[in-house]
Amino acid sequence: MDKIFLNDDLSINFSSISDYIIHHFFKDLEAYYTPFYVHHNSEKVLAKELIQQRLSNILSKYRNKRILLIAHSMGSIVAYDILSQLPDDHNIDTFITIGSPLGIPVILSRLAAEHGLDAEKRLKTPEAITNGWYNFSDLNDRVAFNYTLGDDYKKNSKGVAPVDQVVYNNYKYGDEKNPHKAYGYLRTEQVAETIVNFLTTDRNPVFVRLGEKLESIKKRFGF
């Protein structure tokens, strides 16, 4: 799909087709990428700016803490946008993406237009990520059908780039499976292990006990 829809500079081919797909199947994404205004505090503001502001405010509030940021689905697009423009004193220790569309050609093209490319004409891992970017995808998740981000995003100056891992999202509601559901991703062994590793890195006793508690819960429920 990259070869069909993307040029070497990640500009999009067949833009009318991609616009049609977004309009009919990804309404929230269309609102994010078009001049879609909403009312907030008696003012009209762009939905995109309001969405970004919420995450930006939270990251600024906890900028002196070690942060693990988990972004699901379209949230990974919002997170990438914010992380790519954070001030130097804002760092994200660990970034986890689950069910992410960051590998879809139309998204790659949008990000390239907004954030630019490196000398090799590849998107960059945001400098704000200091320790690791872990990308988890279920092969049946239609939103994350391009589940390898490692070949699309180059390492940042700290040597961080996406580490891709396929997982099994077993979420079901009644008899209907939903391999895109955030709950299902969060309870996979691989995602849980990444969270535990973050919590226990500095061996703080509180974090160690919390990590042990999470491990016991995993074993109890067979995750």
Side-chain angles (χ1 to χ4, degrees):
M1 289 192 66
D2 286 356
K3 292 179 180 179
I4 296 174
F5 283 98
L6 294 176
N7 297 310
D8 289 340
D9 61 355
L10 294 192
S11 59
I12 197 76
N13 287 318
F14 311 112
S15 59
S16 59
I17 296 177
S18 61
D19 290 345
Y20 176 88
I21 293 172
I22 289 176
H23 176 71
H24 286 276
F25 298 102
F26 300 100
K27 294 291 187 181
D28 49 355
L29 195 59
E30 182 180 41
Y32 186 73
Y33 276 130
T34 58
F36 184 84
Y37 289 88
V38 295
H39 289 279
H40 179 69
N41 293 334
S42 302
E43 296 181 0
K44 285 180 65 176
V45 296
L46 283 170
K48 180 177 183 178
E49 293 179 356
L50 186 60
I51 292 169
Q52 289 185 350
Q53 186 180 53
R54 290 179 177 177
L55 176 58
S56 181
N57 289 345
I58 290 294
L59 295 181
S60 294
K61 180 179 179 180
Y62 295 103
R63 63 184 178 275
N64 295 320
K65 305 288 187 180
R66 286 181 65 243
I67 296 176
L68 178 149
L69 176 62
I70 303 176
H72 172 250
S73 194
M74 181 179 160
S76 63
I77 299 174
V78 179
Y80 184 90
D81 283 341
I82 292 299
L83 297 185
S84 295
Q85 56 193 17
L86 279 180
D88 292 339
D89 63 339
H90 290 54
N91 293 311
I92 305 300
D93 182 277
T94 304
F95 184 40
I96 295 177
T97 47
I98 52 179
S100 173
L102 284 173
I104 296 177
V106 65
I107 303 302
L108 292 171
S109 179
R110 295 274 187 172
L111 295 179
E114 293 187 13
H115 303 290
L117 303 174
D118 66 6
E120 299 176 7
K121 295 184 179 179
R122 293 175 64 191
L123 285 162
K124 295 167 283 189
T125 295
E127 287 295 321
I129 307 173
T130 60
N131 187 45
W133 176 358
Y134 304 96
N135 178 58
F136 300 96
S137 307
D138 184 296
L139 293 180
N140 291 314
D141 184 346
R142 291 177 291 180
V143 174
F145 66 84
N146 185 348
Y147 57 89
T148 56
L149 302 185
D151 57 349
D152 293 314
Y153 297 83
K154 190 179 179 181
K155 292 180 180 179
N156 62 18
S157 64
K158 304 171 184 68
V160 177
V163 176
D164 301 304
Q165 190 164 1
V166 172
V167 298
Y168 173 53
N169 185 340
N170 63 358
Y171 180 86
K172 291 176 65 176
Y173 184 76
D175 294 328
E176 186 175 351
K177 294 182 178 180
N178 184 351
H180 182 60
K181 197 68 173 180
Y183 308 148
Y185 274 113
L186 291 172
R187 68 189 185 190
T188 61
E189 179 179 354
Q190 297 89 338
V191 174
E193 183 178 2
T194 303
I195 296 171
V196 169
N197 288 341
F198 169 82
L199 293 174
T200 58
T201 293
D202 63 0
R203 308 311 296 171
N204 183 301
V206 174
F207 290 156
V208 172
R209 288 196 295 272
L210 180 56
E212 292 172 347
K213 185 67 174 178
L214 287 172
E215 287 290 344
S216 67
I217 291 174
K218 284 166 54 183
K219 292 178 181 178
R220 179 181 176 185
F221 292 97
F223 294 162

